[in-house]
Amino acid sequence: MNMIRELTATDFDAVINLGEIVHGSGYMDLAELTAIYHKGIKKGINANFVALENEQLIGFRLTYAAGQWPQDQWCTVDRWGVDFNDVCYFKSNTIAESGRGQGLGGKLLAASKAAVMAQGAKAGVSHLWQQSPNNAAVRYFTKAGGKLIKQHPQRWHQRYMGEDYICVLCGEDCHCVACEMLLVF
């Protein structure tokens, strides 16, 4: 039976490990995960969640609270129709192969959405991995009501991710597409 609960520091090693298995070597380190975790907490509400099966971590959703993340070149704010400071950032939704096809991505998103709404967010933006297995990332976000804003080729290229990142599909020269999508609450 699967369980969704808030991410805690005791989950960090398992989150880093699963991120590298699903997304590639160098996807995230402890310092980055610690910073992401803290950016997801606002008004005492944690917007980061994990999925467990028999006490084994099989998924995670990392989310920045609205007003607690920096706008970058991959954000097409003028197309959102929502003020930047009212938008959370759905950073990463990652599911182990054994947990795919069970609706966990949607359940993790729903948990984060409820948390950021309680924090005061009016919308959430994400950059979905178009090359995810069966394009599951874009499909589940669209099913949740997300709308495509813009496609960003090479979003995860090493010049932006850092030279330690090695994509599970492209290797050291990543050309995966990020679909910038907005979900208005």
Side-chain angles (χ1 to χ4, degrees):
M1 182 165 164
N2 296 327
M3 178 177 81
I4 306 289
R5 68 161 169 77
E6 289 182 9
L7 171 72
T8 67
T10 59
D11 300 312
F12 285 8
D13 287 342
V15 166
I16 291 167
N17 183 53
L18 181 58
E20 291 205 347
I21 290 168
V22 173
H23 301 291
S25 178
Y27 178 69
M28 185 182 325
D29 63 23
L30 182 59
E32 182 181 9
L33 178 56
T34 301
I36 292 168
Y37 172 77
H38 289 291
K39 288 178 183 177
I41 299 172
K42 185 176 183 179
K43 297 181 181 179
I45 301 166
N46 184 354
N48 302 293
F49 290 87
V50 293
L52 304 170
E53 183 175 68
N54 300 322
E55 299 183 33
Q56 185 79 17
L57 189 135
I58 60 168
F60 61 86
R61 155 57 70 205
L62 304 176
T63 303
Y64 296 144
Q68 295 188 177
W69 60 283
Q71 180 181 342
D72 63 20
Q73 68 195 38
W74 312 106
C75 294
T76 316
V77 179
D78 62 335
R79 294 186 187 176
W80 293 356
V82 182
D83 185 86
F84 177 82
N85 291 313
D86 291 329
V87 179
C88 73
Y89 186 75
F90 294 118
K91 168 83 172 119
S92 181
N93 201 41
T94 303
I95 308 294
E97 190 173 348
S98 65
R100 293 181 193 149
Q102 301 175 34
L104 290 176
K107 290 176 184 175
L108 286 165
L109 177 63
S112 282
K113 178 181 169 185
V116 296
M117 288 175 70
Q119 293 172 345
K122 295 178 181 173
V125 71
S126 188
H127 291 90
L128 289 295
W129 183 29
Q130 189 174 43
Q131 285 74 23
S132 64
N134 299 316
N135 197 19
V138 172
R139 285 187 308 121
Y140 95 86
F141 207 80
T142 300
K143 184 177 179 181
K147 304 292 182 209
L148 179 65
I149 301 297
K150 185 175 181 180
Q151 291 186 336
H152 300 280
Q154 298 186 354
R155 162 64 183 94
W156 294 289
H157 194 274
Q158 286 71 9
R159 76 184 90 147
Y160 307 114
M161 291 289 291
E163 62 185 43
D164 292 339
Y165 176 65
I166 300 173
C167 176
V168 294
L169 298 177
C170 307
E172 295 178 3
D173 189 23
C174 183
H175 293 277
C176 291
V177 174
C179 292
E180 177 184 357
M181 297 184 75
L182 183 75
L183 178 61
V184 178
F185 309 142

